[in-house]
Amino acid sequence: SEEWADCPLAFIQFKSRGPIALAGGDTAELMERLEEAQMSLGSMMASRYIGPFREGVQTWVAKLSTVSEVLEQWVHVQSMWIYLEAVFTSGDIAKQLPQEAKRFASIDKQWEKMMAKAYEARNVVQYCYGNDVLKNMLPHLLEQLEVCQKALSGYLDQKRAAFPRFYFISDAVLLEVLSHGSEPQAIQAHLSSIFDSIDAVTFDPVEPASILAISSSDGQTIELAKPVKAAGNIEEWLNVLLEAMRETVRGAVQAAALDCEA
């Protein structure tokens, strides 16, 4: 009782939004402590001298078991919320999935309110045990986040079907690429993952959305037969870039063959 009377939840600042996230390391340690305490209570319950203390021990077994389950679900919900928060705060993806973006905005508000109350309460047992609002809120948030996640997965599948080279990169990298659809220069860092031999592209200094040349990792550069306009849906202009790359290399090989014959 003394050990858990003053055991606080640990929070961290999330971006510039305040302490609305549980601290990962401290929360993991707290869950380990809960597990150890439950093992100790289990040993007490197995003792033949438990008689006078049975009721108190049973109460603490129920308390810590509930707190452990709530924290486990809470951490799971938080990991999904953090992942999707990064996705739906990106203007490009939010525009592509307006219904899910609206749904997530509602989830986000509920999460913020829940975390504000938790930050005020602090004590882990007091806040997690017997808190019906929290007990009902977490499954609701999880259900809504899973709806957003499912829609997002469908969206990524559509993008991969439109440009199969997206299958070469992880969901996290693909989301970063798609979130910069209106800023073509921002995907330079991921070109080598999408294309085997392209490390960078050269944009027209006069017309920034126009790609003039492609470069390999060893510094070889070749000008495209015709510029590629990096505008519109990113998977569409990447397909155009892919075809332009093939045409350019094909033309260079044919020109080299003619030179050899001459």
Side-chain angles (χ1 to χ4, degrees), residues 14-15 73 78 98 132 156 189 217 219:
F14 182 76
K15 298 181 179 178
Q73 189 173 44
Q78 176 169 294
D132 291 336
L156 295 182
S217 57

Side-chain angles (χ1 to χ4, degrees), residues 70-236:
V70 168
L71 266 183
E72 188 175 343
Q73 189 173 44
W74 197 344
V75 169
H76 179 48
V77 170
Q78 176 169 294
S79 66
M80 288 190 70
W81 170 76
I82 289 174
Y83 175 70
L84 292 173
E85 195 271 349
V87 172
F88 288 107
T89 51
S90 162
D92 289 339
I93 295 179
K95 287 176 185 174
Q96 297 286 329
L97 298 169
Q99 187 174 346
E100 282 67 35
K102 186 177 179 181
R103 183 190 300 274
F104 183 79
S106 175
I107 295 169
D108 194 59
K109 287 179 182 177
Q110 293 174 66
W111 173 267
E112 203 168 56
K113 288 179 182 177
M114 183 185 79
M115 296 304 288
K117 289 179 181 177
Y119 188 74
E120 288 176 8
R122 289 300 183 99
N123 185 279
V124 61
V125 175
Q126 289 177 7
Y127 188 68
C128 295
Y129 182 70
N131 188 337
D132 291 336
V133 174
L134 180 64
K135 191 176 180 180
N136 294 326
M137 178 67 74
L138 287 172
H140 169 71
L141 290 176
L142 181 60
E143 181 186 348
Q144 293 299 301
L145 286 166
E146 284 175 345
V147 172
C148 292
Q149 178 69 64
K150 186 176 180 180
L152 182 62
S153 297
Y155 170 72
L156 295 182
D157 287 343
Q158 288 178 357
K159 295 298 181 182
R160 286 183 167 122
F163 186 65
R165 283 176 177 264
F166 281 155
Y167 284 108
F168 297 153
I169 57 179
S170 66
D171 284 359
V173 174
L174 179 53
L175 284 168
E176 188 173 346
V177 169
L178 295 174
S179 67
H180 292 97
S182 58
E183 307 169 58
Q185 291 87 349
I187 73 160
Q188 289 270 29
H190 305 297
L191 286 173
S192 59
S193 301
I194 299 170
F195 297 102
D196 188 43
S197 300
I198 297 182
D199 191 59
V201 295
T202 303
F203 288 91
D204 188 338
V206 178
E207 192 179 347
S210 184
I211 299 174
L212 303 179
I214 53 177
S215 302
S216 66
S217 57
D218 58 6
Q220 292 181 320
T221 299
I222 184 171
E223 289 189 13
L224 295 173
K226 55 183 179 180
V228 171
K229 194 170 183 63
N233 290 335
I234 194 167
E235 68 277 12
E236 293 175 0

Side-chain angles (χ1 to χ4, degrees), residues 22-53:
L22 294 173
D26 290 337
T27 303
E29 288 180 14
L30 178 57
M31 293 176 77
E32 286 179 10
R33 284 181 61 190
L34 282 164
E35 188 176 342
E36 290 170 3
Q38 288 177 86
M39 289 174 65
S40 297
L41 289 168
S43 298
M44 291 180 196
M45 287 296 292
S47 172
R48 60 180 179 172
Y49 304 111
I50 189 64
F53 313 103

